[in-house]
Structures are given as structure tokens and as C-alpha cells.
Amino acid sequence: MNMMTEAAVEKALDQKMTAAPYKMIGKDVSVYYGEKRALFDVNLNIRENTVTALIGPSGCGKSTFLRTLNRMNDTIDHCRVTGKITLDTDDIYDPQIDVVELRARVGMVFQKPNPFPKTIWENVAYGPKIHGLARSKADLDVIVEQSLQKAGLFNEVKDRLHEAGTGLSGGQQQRLCIARAIAVSPEVILMDEPCSALDPIATAKVEELIHELRANFTIVIVTHSMQQAARVSQRTAMFHLGHLVEENDTDKMFTNPDDQRTQDYIMGRFG
Amino acid sequence: MSDVTSSAFQARGAARPRRDIGIRKRYAAERRFRAYGVTAILVGVFFLAVLLWTVISNGYTAFQQTVITLPITFAESVIDPKNERAQNPAKLMAANYPLLVRDALIKELGIDPNDRTKVKLATDMVSASSRTQLRDIVVANPSVIGTTMSVALLAEGNIDSANKGQIDLTADEANRKVKNQQLAWMDQLRQKGDLTKEFNTGLFTYGASSRPEAAGIGVAALGSFYMMLIVLVLALPIGVAASIYLEEFAPKNKFTDLIEVNINNLAAVPSIVYGLLGLAIFINFAGLPRSASLVGGLVLTLMTLPTIIIATRAALKAVPPSIRSAALGLGASKMQTIFHHVLPLAMPGILTGTIIGLAHALGETAPLLLIGMVAFVVDYPGSPLEPSTALPVQIYMWANEAERAFVERTSGAIMVLLAFLIVMNLGAILLRRRFERRW
Amino acid sequence: MSASFLFLLVLLIGFGAYLMARARAIAASQGRSASLHSLPGYHGAYVAIWTILPATLVLIVWSLVGPQMIDREARLSLPTEVLQQGAAPVELAMGQVRAVARGLPLLTDTERAALEAGTLDVRATLATKGVALAGDTQPYMIKSAQKLNALSGTSTIAMTAVVLALSVAGALWSLRSISQRFRARNRVERVILAALVVASSIAILTTVGIVGSMLSEALRFFQSVSPTSFFFGTVWDPRFAAAGSTGSSGQFGLLPLLAGTLYIAFVAMLFAVPVGLFAAIYMSEYASRPVRSIAKPLLEILAGIPTIVYGFFALVTVGPFLRDISAELNGLVTGNYTNFIQAQSVLTAGIVMGIMLIPFVSSLSDDIITQVPRSLRDGSLGLGATRSETIKRVVLPAALPGIVGALLLTASRAVGETMIVVLAAGVAARMQLNPFEPMTTVTVKIVNQLTGDLEFTSPQTLVAFALGITLFTITLCLNIYALYIVRKYREQYE
């Protein structure tokens, strides 16, 4: 019974989210890898404090789009982005905008957990340290603890903060990476298939975490699992062959999509 | 849950203040760091340029040699005054040929034959090697005796240097190897067209000599050639055989692990240690002759083997297992599979490794010093058992000579050595480009 | 019959046997080639192996052992009074005997008769035939020489007979076994496999040879010079003894050489490590593809240049440059234009060796750095770190073990380098700290002690092997440890 009320609250919340203001706006975004075009004029807006899921068959451009949002594509040779993406009011591809500053505002969590070969504490403290967010070691300690708390990892690792982060289990490593991203206090967190390398139990924990994080952060998640998209997101965008097929409320998307291709994909006709 | 809800609503409303994350300072650090990298590469390239410039600027003149062309009268009164050459041909070997040169110079330059100092100065201008040059002419064809023919004689090393403008003529005459009188004569000869710069074929054909103008790398190059041949003939088959065993047959156990570590270590053992090994084993124990290119070749073979084995194993490893499965599936034996299919596919990689190993061996000096190849070898070695020297060792010996003309020749020899190395390495690169396969 | 001619003959028999065996195998197949277990060529190879291999092995062993046994026999034939005089006179006499033995076959019949009569001046006669003797001969030497020649003659005939018999017997025996079902291929392959094993054992044998030969010679050295005075001696003054005297009047202290070696290697590393490491970082992390494709081969050229060329470069350019610039500097500061850097000095050798090491450091570190997984870089960049922050705080710490391994390998190369120090460091064995003065190294002294006329009994020569084994041990430790670290590092990211 209690479940019912919670679900009701959720629903109410989700509806509000639908109306939430745009945090990021992508307009006519195209991406080229050398000669090959990977994205075709994508127009997609990301709402604030919402989990937006990007779905679609592999190679559809969903990860590519995700990586344009904090300009991670810059690290790939021969990669070119056209169109316009704004974060709040800033055009992030404006030469005036600084990548480092951008990435401090738009954090990223990767497909494979990639903790640095350092201690857990150092992993989390890394971002605040390079950005000078803490004045003292005590400040850092606070940030590390809070971030690990938020990532739901603190109780599991509080006795071994100074042991190697690579010694954790896969799921713990991924939550450590999320804690590492949170520690910078970004506005947006991008997640590139964060659960694809994890077992179901660890996946459930991370999903739960995403759910909680959405209160404080805007989250964009790429996933190949439609169940996951349905579970964690409020908005869903469907990509196919580099085109954005449909963007809609998650509920609607999974019950009554506007586009036939979405319908086919969700029904498992291709993918 | 309701807590989360309310805080979420709050967070949404509040605009975040911009944070100062020290961008400017961090970018300055970034630029500095980048600049260090660029500097490092520039330092490396700078030294490469200076090194090559040193060698080339000192050495390009070595490919020319000043030649003095004189009308030599093969006077019977000098060569064979008693006319006994029919009975005793050895007479022609021992005749006083320098006298012919002296007479020719006196006539050509118009010197008073009784002015001892001037005559000495004049004869000093021609290389002492003219003696053998004239002797060879006469011995080959005794009928020239009594006739006059013009012979191109090598100029002495210092005259050669002066003619190439390498001697500081502003220095006090007393401190100069070339005197004013000689310079005047040089002008005189030059105007007559008798003092010319010719392409220095001697650099490529002569052997060791204490006189720079008569010193060449021909003999040393032959020694190096013998050694390269020995290395190729021994190291390639042995290296390939060893690699095939280690890569395809050897069980993975402690012993093969030991061989693996051992080979990697041998590749990094100082080359001079191989020289000690050669001295102790090949010369002292097996009794092979010192200074022989055979010993040098064996030492360099042992030195090159690890390189070839490492390259060959990498090449074998790069052949995909599917090729092996295909051949084995057709009923070929393991040996047939390897020799018919795997080895041919790995061949470009193996040859590239071999060429690079050979190039390395060609430039190696230290071990050869220990097995006595620092020898003054004038004649071409007829076999790998005869005393010989090697190109880099010849360079080492010349580098120890002080004369300007030897510096020039050392650099010239280095240019030749580097040319060989460049050709070999280019060959290796082309081979790799041409045949490299991506699986 | 000389051994090489005999070998050719055996090869020829082997080729004949190959053809016969093939023909016989084809005959055995009765026209259905599939009925043979192995192809005819394998039957041929099998028989050829039996024909050539045992005979050749006997030939090799005989050629190696035979002359030594004959020599021993000839030595025993020397008069007892000579044999009692001790090792050196016997060696001298044997040298004479061997020379005479070489000369005897060259004598004419009349000269031989004179020899029998004892009237021939052997030394003068042989000298005209191109055989130089060290001294006048004694009658017993002639006898021994004749015995030597007689024995070698018998030995050669016996060897020829045995080798040829073995070869033919091998051919006949193996030809008998040819039949349809005979597994010639398997047997040939077994021989090939054995050959492969032998080839790969050469690597082990080389190490055994290095350690064994140097250890045994070094032990001979330690019989005349105590190990403590070698390893802990601070004075190097070997005093070349006059030929023949074995007195060890010199002092053989290793420490000054070791100090010079390590000092020069240290200066070289001081120069090469920052340059090489930053070059590697720039090339793997910053350089665009075109820049990389030009800069990398350029640096690799430095690695391909023989060290003798670097030595020449030090001698002709770097040394004089440092000397002159130090004189200028001194003049500008003190007004006294004398140089304070010698042309041959620790600094000269160190800088030039450093240049040589740049490509080693850069290519080894480049390999190591590129092995750091991309995901770590992405993780750091994704948090908003700059590239240099990512390199300094994530990539380099992750690559550190590998880089340490690479640097140890480079250090091993620096310690063992010879030609640069021979030409640029000087020969003065001194213990001092001024980098502007010449110092010498272990490798320089090995070269010094072993060039020129050698006598393998004096400590002056044998010390080179003691130095060699020291050098080998140092580099071995560095190499093994470095290879171990690098291997562990690779496994971590594979």
C-alpha cells in the first residue's frame, strides 16, 4: 500500500520533471569521424534534474551524442562536431568556452569502471584537488566522505579509504567512479552504459543510486537495456543510424511511442 | 522519500554560482608542460643535426683528393743503371723511384737542384706513396723505361688540406705545415692545370696507411663484408630455428622461461663482454687466429642472435592461429605447417629484424678491438682467416690520428658507414611497408 | 686429405644416397604414390641424414681432438731433461717442434738427406722456405717434429677411412629400411626438431660461455692478486710488466674505475632522462600524427648511429667546444682565459652518451606510456583535468613501474658503453668529483689492457676478465630486475 503512495509521488514528480526547464540544448548537432558522418542534425534538449536515457541499437550514435555534451570527442583524432550545444546559456563549442571548465560542470562516468590506480580516497579527492575546490586536507576529507555517502559507497569502504581503488569489486568500482564525478559537484553527469560491465545485483545498486542523484544533478544516461531506461529515466531519446528518432516521456515511449521504428525496437524487432 | 523530493525541488530553483577553478594558472602550467615536450624533441633533433653537420662538413672533402700531374721520365740511369733487369727482375722492385719524382719536380718548378732546402720542400709536396705507384707502373710494363709519360701523383696530406682551404694561412709560417714557397708552387702548378682535385677513388680502395692521402677504407670494408656474410649465414638460420622451437614447440615451463629471460638479457649485455667471450673462447680456447674476420663474424653472430630471435618470435606470434589450424586440419604435420605456412608469412618480419640486427653489427666496434682487429692491415684479406680490420675499427684508428687530413678521412669513412646503415634501414622499412600484413 | 675436402666428399655421398633413396621409395610405391606413408623426398632426406650426420660428427670431433692428442704424444717424445725444466721451456721447445714440422715437407730430397746426416742448417734452410724459427734447432726437436708429422699422417688417413666408412655404412643401413609403410617423415622431423633444440640452446650456451670463460680467467687473475685488493682497492696502476716476467708489481683497484663508470653514466642519465621522457610524453600525448611521424623516426636515427660515431663527435666537436667555452667564460669572469673544462672529461663523455641514450629512453617510455589504458585518461579528462594534469597525476604514476624498468635498462646500456668513453672520457683512473676533469671507466680499461701484444699469463691482461665479469654482473642485475619490472607492468594492463 505504501508502494502505491510512493508510486504516486513518483508520478507527480515525473510530471513536474517533464515540465522542468532545459539544462542543455542541442541544436542540429552533427558529428564526423574523418569522412564518416556519425550523427545527423540531432535536436535534443536535456531537462534539468531529470534522468534522460539515450537508447537505440549499437552504433546508432547515442554514445557519440553523449560525448559531445562535455566535448570528450575532442580527445579523438579527426573528430569534428557541427551544430550548437548550450549549457544553460553558454554555447559549449564557443572558442571562448574552456573545455576544462565545461568538464568540471558536466562530469562523466564511463562504461567500464576506470578507477585510477590509487587509493579510494585519492580517487575521489582527485577532481576537487585539480580544480582547487578544497582549501585544506580537512575540506577534502569532508568532500570525499560526502561524495562517497552520496554514491552509497561510504559504509562499504570507510575502513579502507587508503587502500587501492582497483581492489574493489566491479560494482563498487563503478560507484567509486560516480563518487569521483560527484566530488567535483558537476551540474550534469553523463553516464555511458554505466552498468554494462556489472552483474545484476551491482546494476540494481547503481540504478538506485542514479535515481537518488537526480534530485541534485541533471543526468544523461546511455543504455542498451530498455528495462533500465524504463526503470531509471523520465525522458527517453531513441537513436537510430545517427538520427534522433523520437524523444518523449519515458512512460509514453514504452507504452505508446510516436514512431514506428521506436515501436519496432522496443518490441525487439531489431537491435 | 519525501525528503528527497523536497530537496530536489529546492535544488532546481537555486542557480549555482560560478566557481573559480583556477583556469588561467592551470593553462599556464599546461603550456609550460607542452613547451618542455617540444623542447625535448628539439634538443634531440638539434643534436642529431649538429652531429650530422659535424660529420658532413668535415667529411665531404674526403671524397676529393688533390693530384699533382707530373711528366715523369723513367730514366734507365735511375731505375736500372747496370741494365740487369732481364736477369734479376727484383732489381725493378728496389729502384730509387723517389728520385724520378724529384727530378720531375725540379724540372717542372724550375728549382736549382743544388738548393737542398727547396728540393726537400718540393719533394715533400708529393705523397711518399708515389714510390709504389711508379714501381707498379714499371713492373707491370718495363718497356716504359727510357720514356717520359705524365703520371697523376697523390699530393701529400697537408698540401691536399691546403688546396682544400682547410689550413689557416694567416698563421705564422713557422707554425704552419705548409710553407709559403710550397703555396707559391701550388699556384704555379694550378695555373698550368697540373694541380687538380680529382674524385678520391683511393678512399674506397686503399688499406691502412700512416699517410692520410694513401689511406683508404677498402680493406676494412672487405673485412666488414666478410663479417656480415658470416653473421648472415650463421645468425639467420640459427636465430630462426631457435625462435621456431621456442615459439611453436617448447613447452611452457621454468626452463623455457629461463631461456626467455636469458635471451632478453643477452640482448642487453654490453657488446664489449662479447669481445671478451670471443677472446677467451674462440682465440684462446679454440685457437682461431687473432685479427681474423672469422672470429669477428662469430662474435657478432652471438651478439646479433638475440635481436633476430626476438624479432622472429614477434613475427611468428603475429601469424594468426587460424592459419595453423587450417593447415593442421588438412592433415599437415606440425613441422610442415610451420615450414610451409607460418614461416613464409612471418618472413618479412624476420628479414626486417635480421637487417636491423646486421646494421647494428656493422657499426659495432668495441668487441672487435678485443679480438685484435685493431690491426694495421694494408692488404686485402684473401679469406676470413687472414688478418683484417673492419669499417668502424678503421674509423676508430683514424679518429686517434691528429692530422687534419685524417679528421677529414675519418668523417668521410663515417659518411660511408652511415650510408650503408641508411640503405639497410631503409630496406628494412620498405620491406615492412611492402609486406606488412594486418590480420 | 683435408677435413674440408672430406666434408665435401661426405656431402656428395649424401646427395647420391638421397637420390637413390628417392628412387627406391618411388619404386616401392609401385606407381601409387599415395600408398607411401611419406613422400619420396622424406625417404631421401632420411637416408641423407644417416649418411651425412654421423660421419660429420666424427669428422668434427676428430679434427678437434686429434691434433691435441698428437701434440701430447709429440710432447712426451721430448727428452726427459727438457720435460723436467718446467712448463715455459717445454712450450718454447714445442713451438720450435711445430714450426719444424710445418717446414719438413717443404724440404727437397738433397736437403732431407743432409738433415738425416745432421749437416743441414735447419733454421736457415727453412727461413728460405718461408718458415721462420725462433732459434736454432736441437736434434731432438727434429726427431719430435718427424714423429709429429708421422702421427698426423696416420691420423689423417685413419680419419678419412673411418669417416668414409661411416658415411657409406649409414647410407646402406638406412636404405634397407625404406618401404611403403616406413615413417620417414616422422623420423626426419624428429631430427629437425633436435636441430631446433640445439639452435635454441645456443642462447644458453652463450651465457654459459660468457660466465664460464670470464670466471675461469678471472680466477687465474685472483691467484696473483687478492680479490679484496681488486674489489676494494682505490689505486689503479697496472704497470705493464716486461714480456715474460709474471711479477705483479701493479695495483689493480677497481673502485676508481667503478666510480668513473657510475659518474659518467649518472651524468648521461641526468641529460638523457628528462629529454627522453619529455620527448616520449610529447609524442604519445600531444603530437599530431604528422608531427609524430616525423619526430619519431628522427629520434630513432640517433639510436641507429654507431657509438664510434658518437665517440668521434665527442672528440672533434663536443670536447673542444666545452673546452673553449669554459676558457671564454673563465676569461669573462676572471680575465684569465684558461679552460676549466678538459676536452676529455666526465662532462663530455656524459653529454655525448646522454645524446646516444635519448632515443632509448624515449622509445622505451613511449611504449610504456601508450600501454596505460585510454579509459584512465578519459576518466581524468572527463573530470575536467587538463592534459598535463592527466599526464602528471594519472598517466605517469600509472606508468611509473614500467618507466623505472625502462630507465634501468638504459642505465645498463650506459654502464656498458665503450666507444664513447674510450674516445671522450680519458684514461686517468682517478677518484674525484669534478665533472670537468677526465675519469676513466671499466670498459675503457678492458680495452686498454687487451689491445696490443698480449700475454695470457700476466695479471695485467687477466685483470680485463675480472673487470669484464664485474661489468657483466652489474648489467645482469640491472637487466634482470628491469625486465622483471617491465614484464609485471605489461601483465597488469594486458
Side-chain angles (χ1 to χ4, degrees):
Chain A
M1 307 145 282
N2 200 16
M3 291 288 283
M4 280 303 291
T5 53
E6 263 192 34
V9 172
E10 286 271 304
K11 187 125 192 160
L13 189 64
D14 287 354
Q15 271 160 5
K16 290 217 176 235
M17 287 309 142
T18 312
Y22 295 134
K23 181 71 183 170
M24 297 189 82
I25 298 171
K27 193 163 178 350
D28 296 334
V29 179
S30 293
V31 176
Y32 303 81
Y33 293 112
E35 294 297 299
K36 194 174 156 271
R37 192 169 181 184
L39 273 189
F40 298 84
D41 300 323
V42 171
N43 290 294
L44 178 60
N45 303 336
I46 310 293
R47 288 166 197 267
E48 194 165 22
N49 289 57
T50 305
V51 178
T52 306
L54 310 183
I55 61 168
S58 48
C60 65
K62 55 192 192 297
S63 283
T64 303
F65 180 75
L66 187 77
R67 292 170 72 94
T68 59
L69 294 180
N70 75 340
R71 292 180 57 180
M72 276 308 277
N73 282 326
D74 288 14
T75 63
I76 300 168
D77 290 346
H78 305 301
C79 181
R80 197 158 53 84
V81 178
T82 62
K84 189 172 170 182
I85 299 175
T86 54
L87 171 62
D88 292 339
T89 50
D90 305 322
D91 178 357
I92 66 170
Y93 282 89
D94 186 326
Q96 300 286 316
I97 285 287
D98 186 82
V99 204
V100 167
E101 208 169 359
L102 169 69
R103 289 180 192 154
R105 292 170 70 192
V106 183
M108 186 152 188
V109 175
F110 297 84
Q111 184 170 8
K112 227 181 108 205
N114 55 353
F116 304 134
K118 303 173 175 230
T119 65
I120 294 169
W121 189 91
E122 281 172 331
N123 261 289
V124 181
Y126 177 79
K129 257 198 219 165
I130 55 171
H131 295 309
L133 299 181
R135 259 182 228 95
S136 62
K137 169 111 182 352
D139 279 4
L140 273 178
D141 277 334
V142 172
I143 294 178
V144 169
E145 188 182 331
Q146 283 180 348
S147 306
L148 285 170
Q149 291 275 19
K150 283 187 203 157
L153 191 62
F154 187 71
N155 287 333
E156 292 166 56
V157 300
K158 63 179 177 224
D159 301 328
R160 42 181 176 146
L161 285 179
H162 295 283
E163 286 170 30
T166 43
L168 297 174
S169 74
Q172 288 174 322
Q173 286 191 10
Q174 193 61 295
R175 279 183 286 148
L176 175 62
C177 291
I178 294 173
R180 192 174 67 184
I182 294 172
V184 186
S185 315
E187 297 157 39
V188 182
I189 299 178
L190 310 176
M191 297 186 175
D192 189 356
E193 302 196 22
C195 300
S196 66
L198 305 183
D199 61 68
I201 295 173
T203 302
K205 281 199 169 162
V206 172
E207 284 179 6
E208 194 182 326
L209 173 60
I210 294 170
H211 211 79
E212 285 166 14
L213 289 175
R214 119 176 187 241
N216 294 312
F217 305 95
T218 304
I219 293 173
V220 185
I221 178 170
V222 163
T223 175
H224 61 265
S225 149
M226 279 163 296
Q227 291 86 340
Q228 184 170 61
R231 281 193 300 265
V232 301
S233 73
Q234 292 79 51
R235 297 282 295 178
T236 299
M238 155 83 187
F239 283 76
H240 182 49
L241 296 175
H243 295 274
L244 175 65
V245 172
E246 181 177 356
E247 195 243 339
N248 225 325
D249 275 357
T250 303
D251 287 350
K252 179 157 188 332
M253 192 83 152
F254 283 92
T255 49
N256 183 22
D258 292 341
D259 195 286
Q260 183 59 37
R261 286 170 292 178
T262 315
Q263 176 96 38
D264 289 348
Y265 182 61
I266 288 164
M267 302 296 284
R269 300 242 173 90
F270 65 88
Chain B
M1 197 63 222
S2 58
D3 269 7
V4 174
T5 327
S6 60
S7 71
F9 282 118
Q10 278 164 17
R12 188 157 51 93
R16 282 165 200 252
R18 274 295 170 80
R19 293 172 300 178
D20 173 23
I21 53 173
I23 284 291
R24 187 167 304 179
K25 254 169 117 181
R26 285 165 66 190
Y27 271 106
E30 173 78 17
R31 275 192 299 276
R32 270 200 308 280
F33 193 75
R34 223 183 145 113
Y36 296 149
V38 176
T39 314
I41 289 183
L42 290 182
V43 165
V45 174
F46 167 76
F47 277 111
L48 176 66
V50 174
L51 195 153
L52 292 179
W53 183 79
T54 299
V55 170
I56 293 172
S57 68
N58 276 315
Y60 75 97
T61 48
F63 298 97
Q64 289 203 312
Q65 164 68 35
T66 307
V67 168
I68 300 177
T69 313
L70 291 176
I72 301 281
T73 308
F74 292 94
E76 190 163 24
S77 57
V78 175
I79 299 172
D80 188 13
K82 293 181 196 145
N83 197 7
E84 32 184 20
R85 58 182 178 268
Q87 297 83 41
N88 189 0
K91 259 282 176 270
L92 292 181
M93 298 295 288
N96 190 357
Y97 293 106
L99 205 58
L100 298 178
V101 178
R102 198 195 74 169
D103 291 346
L105 280 167
I106 287 173
K107 213 154 77 186
E108 189 77 2
L109 299 171
I111 309 169
D112 174 10
N114 296 321
D115 187 341
R116 285 271 183 89
T117 18
K118 275 201 171 176
V119 171
K120 172 97 173 51
L121 275 179
T123 47
D124 279 353
M125 289 173 66
V126 175
S127 166
S129 69
S130 56
R131 177 203 181 93
T132 38
Q133 198 185 345
L134 295 180
R135 185 189 70 196
D136 291 347
I137 292 174
V138 173
V139 170
N141 181 14
S143 67
V144 296
I145 293 175
T147 64
T148 300
M149 66 189 253
S150 91
V151 180
L153 301 169
L154 299 178
E156 197 268 339
N158 287 315
I159 299 296
D160 183 41
S161 301
N163 189 35
K164 290 169 180 167
Q166 294 161 344
I167 287 186
D168 179 15
L169 298 177
T170 58
D172 194 26
E173 189 182 3
N175 299 332
R176 230 194 289 138
K177 292 262 175 62
V178 182
K179 308 297 175 194
N180 289 337
Q181 177 67 68
Q182 291 176 319
L183 290 171
W185 283 332
M186 281 170 65
D187 280 337
Q188 195 181 331
L189 288 169
R190 201 178 291 130
Q191 266 156 29
K192 279 203 263 176
D194 289 342
L195 184 109
T196 48
K197 273 194 271 185
E198 306 280 325
F199 180 71
N200 191 356
T201 48
L203 182 68
F204 299 97
T205 55
Y206 295 142
S209 171
S210 56
R211 292 182 288 271
E213 68 276 6
I217 54 172
V219 172
L222 183 63
S224 277
F225 175 73
Y226 281 146
M227 289 196 291
M228 288 306 105
L229 214 59
I230 292 168
V231 174
L232 186 64
V233 166
L234 290 179
L236 182 57
I238 295 178
V240 170
S243 315
I244 289 177
Y245 177 72
L246 293 174
E247 200 56 45
E248 307 282 343
F249 289 99
K252 293 274 166 277
N253 57 26
K254 283 257 182 273
F255 183 68
T256 43
D257 243 24
L258 183 74
I259 296 185
E260 173 108 34
V261 172
N262 180 43
I263 288 172
N264 284 327
N265 175 55
L266 282 179
V269 163
S271 59
I272 194 165
V273 169
Y274 286 97
L276 287 169
L277 170 77
L279 182 61
I281 302 275
F282 297 131
I283 294 179
N284 279 359
F285 181 71
L288 292 172
R290 260 171 79 81
S291 310
S293 46
L294 174 65
V295 180
L298 290 174
V299 168
L300 294 182
T301 299
L302 293 183
M303 214 189 76
T304 317
L305 259 181
T307 317
I308 295 184
I309 293 181
I310 292 172
T312 307
R313 290 188 66 177
L316 290 175
K317 223 178 254 165
V319 177
S322 59
I323 302 273
R324 291 178 183 81
S325 320
L328 290 173
L330 289 172
S333 72
K334 193 159 185 188
M335 207 59 94
Q336 286 170 324
T337 304
I338 289 161
F339 282 93
H340 297 172
H341 300 283
V342 179
L343 200 55
L345 288 174
M347 220 50 198
I350 296 173
L351 290 182
T352 309
T354 307
I355 294 174
I356 288 170
L358 275 183
H360 198 195
L362 179 62
E364 197 51 71
T365 321
L368 304 182
L369 300 182
L370 302 193
I371 54 169
M373 294 192 77
V374 254
F376 192 81
V377 186
V378 181
D379 297 316
Y380 283 95
S383 77
L385 280 168
E386 284 173 32
S388 66
T389 179
L391 209 45
V393 180
Q394 189 71 67
I395 291 169
Y396 167 67
M397 289 193 283
W398 283 352
N400 283 320
E401 305 269 355
E403 270 177 273
R404 179 64 184 82
F406 265 120
V407 173
E408 170 191 293
R409 275 179 163 65
T410 315
S411 307
I414 290 176
M415 284 167 74
V416 175
L417 179 63
L418 289 183
F420 275 124
L421 294 180
I422 288 170
V423 168
M424 290 169 90
N425 281 302
L426 274 185
I429 291 170
L430 288 182
L431 202 66
R432 191 157 37 190
R433 288 259 168 86
R434 176 85 178 70
F435 293 105
E436 195 177 47
R437 237 180 262 241
R438 294 238 167 258
W439 302 100
Chain C
M1 201 180 289
S2 77
S4 46
F5 182 70
L6 194 57
F7 178 61
L8 273 182
L9 205 66
V10 169
L11 283 189
L12 219 64
I13 298 175
F15 185 63
Y18 170 83
L19 292 179
M20 273 168 70
R22 257 186 60 140
R24 188 179 275 219
I26 291 169
S29 73
Q30 295 155 344
R32 291 175 301 123
S33 57
S35 67
L36 284 174
H37 170 271
S38 310
L39 293 173
Y42 280 108
H43 289 272
Y46 171 72
V47 173
I49 287 169
W50 266 106
T51 314
I52 296 171
L53 207 58
T56 310
L57 285 180
V58 168
L59 179 63
I60 291 171
V61 172
W62 200 305
S63 312
L64 288 178
V65 178
Q68 284 179 22
M69 286 175 62
I70 292 167
D71 210 65
R72 186 174 311 150
E73 281 299 309
R75 189 177 302 233
L76 289 177
S77 75
L78 294 176
T80 41
E81 60 266 28
V82 179
L83 287 175
Q84 280 159 0
Q85 278 169 11
V90 170
E91 258 324 298
L92 219 60
M94 275 310 292
Q96 289 274 62
V97 168
R98 281 183 216 122
V100 173
R102 267 203 313 275
L104 282 179
L106 305 173
L107 295 181
T108 60
D109 284 341
T110 46
E111 283 163 345
R112 204 160 285 152
L115 182 73
E116 291 301 320
T119 55
L120 186 76
D121 181 352
V122 182
R123 192 178 180 189
T125 320
L126 287 185
T128 62
K129 317 257 177 208
V131 179
L133 295 184
D136 284 318
T137 52
Q138 306 292 327
Y140 74 81
M141 292 180 184
I142 310 288
K143 282 233 169 55
S144 293
Q146 281 165 338
K147 173 152 191 179
L148 194 84
N149 280 356
L151 282 174
S152 339
T154 328
S155 163
T156 309
I157 292 169
M159 178 172 78
T160 310
V162 169
V163 167
L164 288 182
L166 210 62
S167 168
V168 173
L172 293 179
W173 186 82
S174 55
L175 270 172
R176 275 182 32 198
S177 53
I178 288 178
S179 69
Q180 268 190 14
R181 301 311 313 152
F182 182 62
R183 300 171 167 237
R185 198 197 68 228
N186 302 35
R187 303 201 176 210
V188 170
E189 287 183 350
R190 220 175 299 157
V191 174
I192 296 177
L193 186 61
L196 298 184
V197 174
V198 169
S200 51
S201 67
I202 284 183
I204 293 277
L205 284 181
T206 308
T207 305
V208 172
I210 289 175
V211 174
S213 66
M214 290 208 296
L215 213 52
S216 70
E217 304 282 345
L219 286 178
R220 278 169 68 196
F221 169 73
F222 287 131
Q223 279 166 8
S224 48
V225 175
S226 81
T228 40
S229 71
F230 173 72
F231 286 113
F232 302 106
T234 54
V235 179
W236 174 269
D237 179 18
R239 281 202 205 136
F240 262 97
S245 85
T246 49
S248 58
S249 51
Q251 284 179 278
F252 301 92
L254 171 71
L255 291 183
L257 310 186
L258 211 53
T261 306
L262 297 180
Y263 198 178
I264 291 173
F266 175 72
V267 173
M269 295 292 281
L270 216 55
F271 184 78
V273 171
V275 176
L277 207 53
F278 270 110
I281 290 171
Y282 186 81
M283 276 192 297
S284 58
E285 303 285 332
Y286 285 108
S288 62
R289 202 165 291 189
V291 171
R292 192 180 157 90
S293 70
I294 293 171
K296 210 173 152 87
L298 275 181
L299 286 189
E300 273 166 10
I301 291 179
L302 279 176
I305 291 175
T307 56
I308 176 69
V309 179
Y310 283 102
F312 175 76
F313 180 57
L315 192 70
V316 176
T317 307
V318 178
F321 173 77
L322 289 176
R323 183 192 60 206
D324 297 345
I325 199 127
S326 74
E328 282 300 317
L329 279 177
N330 197 9
L332 283 177
V333 176
T334 64
N336 171 15
Y337 284 88
T338 49
N339 57 308
F340 58 90
I341 303 181
Q342 311 283 320
Q344 285 193 327
S345 68
V346 172
L347 190 64
T348 310
I351 288 181
V352 176
M353 196 190 282
I355 298 171
M356 182 199 83
L357 294 178
I358 291 173
F360 280 102
V361 177
S362 75
S363 74
L364 285 172
S365 328
D366 195 0
D367 282 354
I368 300 283
I369 290 173
T370 43
Q371 274 185 358
V372 174
R374 196 191 162 90
S375 66
L376 287 185
R377 292 187 178 80
D378 282 352
S380 174
L381 293 172
L383 289 172
T386 62
R387 271 192 184 273
S388 65
E389 284 161 355
T390 303
I391 295 164
K392 278 186 280 193
R393 291 169 182 253
V394 175
V395 177
L396 286 186
L400 193 64
I403 290 176
V404 169
L407 295 188
L408 287 180
L409 276 180
T410 315
S412 149
R413 180 86 40 179
V415 167
E417 173 45 42
T418 309
M419 294 321 294
I420 294 175
V421 282
V422 164
L423 288 171
V427 290
R430 304 189 296 173
M431 287 234 248
Q432 48 102 38
L433 283 174
N434 184 351
F436 305 141
E437 295 284 322
M439 268 172 103
T440 198
T441 70
V442 173
T443 49
V444 170
K445 285 303 162 195
I446 294 177
V447 171
N448 280 176
Q449 299 307 106
L450 288 182
T451 34
D453 284 326
L454 302 185
E455 226 185 322
F456 276 97
T457 46
S458 71
Q460 278 78 5
T461 335
L462 292 174
V463 69
F465 290 93
L467 293 175
I469 194 100
T470 314
L471 184 67
F472 180 75
T473 314
I474 295 173
T475 54
L476 182 80
C477 293
L478 284 174
N479 293 345
I480 300 266
Y481 187 55
L483 290 169
Y484 171 77
I485 296 180
V486 172
R487 193 165 159 177
K488 273 266 166 303
Y489 173 78
R490 292 237 158 92
E491 282 166 3
Q492 179 193 336
Y493 288 125
E494 251 163 26

